[in-house]
Amino acid sequence: MHCICCEVLRLEIEKIIAETGVSPQIHFIEQGLHDTPDELRKTLQQKVDELEQQNVPEIILGYGLCGKGLYGLTSKHATLIIPSIHDCIPLLLGCDQQEAGILSQNGSTFWLSPGWLRYSQLNFIRNREKRQKEYEELYGLDNALYLMEQEALWLQHYTNACFIEWPNILEREELLQEAKFVAKDAKLPFRIVDGKDSFLKALLLGGNDERFLRVPPHKTIDINGDGKIVIAEA
């Protein structure tokens, strides 16, 4: 079994593999592609095509729809196994999309996890000074300050920051301090929610229940009028 997965889930996946012996072949894809759905789709399609050349019959995707980054992703021969979710947060929480929405307090939660901290949020904060200097060189001080203010606007609709904590996770204290640092930098109240490995473990075992879509060749996924992830024409 092969699994193409965002590196945001690396620590949790490696934990499951170490504890259970589940051993799909994992192909991690860089997190930054989430920012450009077309590039994410292009990269995933190239990986699917590559695996199909090896006659792989089923390919697991460790992604949600991800800003329609998976819309249009298709196969010629293999079945694509995809969790029926909008993003990876339900995989980390171990719940369905509806329950994740409740836990997110109507979308007002800025989620933190080991992968999001290491591959996105900490780097964004630590590179802030570097970005401002680059803006100053290109556009001058006033424009640089304006751009930095605009850069922070994406946080304005969040009311809290929440760390998803799995039991017995490695480097717990370090991760917790990093999460608190990010929350403080964002000027958001901090809380912790317990995550569960059941959803992600089921994905690595082949996605054999109603939480997953088994997408046949020449099909893709989309959102229907009720906001549900469904199989669609490619």
Side-chain angles (χ1 to χ4, degrees):
M1 188 75 73
H2 289 257
C3 177
I4 305 172
C5 187
C6 179
E7 66 182 349
V8 157
L9 301 173
R10 180 186 291 271
L11 192 150
E12 290 83 3
I13 284 177
E14 290 176 347
K15 180 177 186 293
I16 289 173
I17 290 173
E19 291 178 350
T20 67
V22 175
S23 57
Q25 187 167 339
I26 309 293
H27 309 269
F28 286 110
I29 305 296
E30 64 177 288
Q31 180 277 332
L33 292 172
H34 282 79
D35 299 332
T36 52
D38 289 343
E39 286 300 315
L40 174 59
R41 185 184 311 110
K42 179 181 177 181
T43 299
L44 292 177
Q45 188 65 66
Q46 289 173 344
K47 195 64 184 178
V48 167
D49 294 345
E50 176 186 321
L51 291 176
E52 286 202 291
Q53 290 176 7
Q54 303 173 33
N55 296 317
V56 173
E58 295 183 336
I59 301 171
I60 297 169
L61 277 299
Y63 286 87
L65 190 59
C66 295
K68 283 208 166 185
L70 267 66
Y71 175 71
L73 182 69
T74 189
S75 64
K76 297 181 180 68
H77 311 292
T79 297
L80 304 181
I81 301 169
I82 303 174
S84 184
I85 52 178
H86 292 272
D87 53 49
C88 67
I89 299 304
L91 284 174
L92 293 167
L93 291 171
C95 65
D96 61 23
Q97 191 70 58
Q98 183 176 5
E99 187 178 349
I102 294 170
L103 290 170
S104 73
Q105 300 181 353
N106 296 317
S108 65
T109 295
F110 179 34
W111 290 108
L112 307 169
S113 75
W116 282 107
L117 287 167
R118 297 292 170 82
Y119 297 113
S120 176
Q121 290 141 354
L122 287 172
N123 288 335
F124 182 80
I125 293 170
R126 290 167 178 163
N127 289 332
R128 185 179 292 141
E129 184 176 344
K130 177 183 176 183
R131 290 197 304 279
Q132 180 169 333
K133 288 181 178 179
E134 291 174 348
Y135 291 154
E136 286 184 34
E137 292 175 0
L138 290 170
Y139 310 115
L141 177 59
D142 289 344
N143 288 328
L145 293 175
Y146 172 77
L147 289 171
M148 296 303 294
E149 290 175 1
Q150 294 299 304
E151 193 177 82
L153 290 179
W154 68 279
L155 281 167
Q156 64 184 348
H157 70 279
Y158 293 117
T159 63
N160 68 102
C162 183
F163 179 60
I164 303 172
E165 182 177 38
W166 277 26
N168 304 316
I169 202 74
L170 294 176
E171 304 174 11
R172 177 190 182 276
E173 289 305 318
E174 181 181 348
L175 288 166
L176 193 57
Q177 292 306 312
E178 289 173 348
K180 290 179 178 178
F181 166 73
V182 172
K184 183 178 180 180
D185 182 78
K187 298 179 176 61
L188 292 172
F190 179 74
R191 62 190 178 103
I192 299 173
V193 167
D194 291 333
K196 302 180 184 67
D197 66 5
S198 55
F199 198 168
L200 190 53
K201 186 184 296 183
L203 176 67
L204 297 177
L205 287 169
N208 295 305
D209 61 48
E210 69 282 354
R211 293 173 292 181
F212 304 94
L213 294 173
R214 302 182 73 85
V215 184
H218 308 293
K219 300 287 186 178
T220 188
I221 58 172
D222 198 0
I223 304 176
N224 67 13
D226 297 324
K228 183 179 180 181
I229 310 295
V230 295
I231 297 173
E233 294 297 326

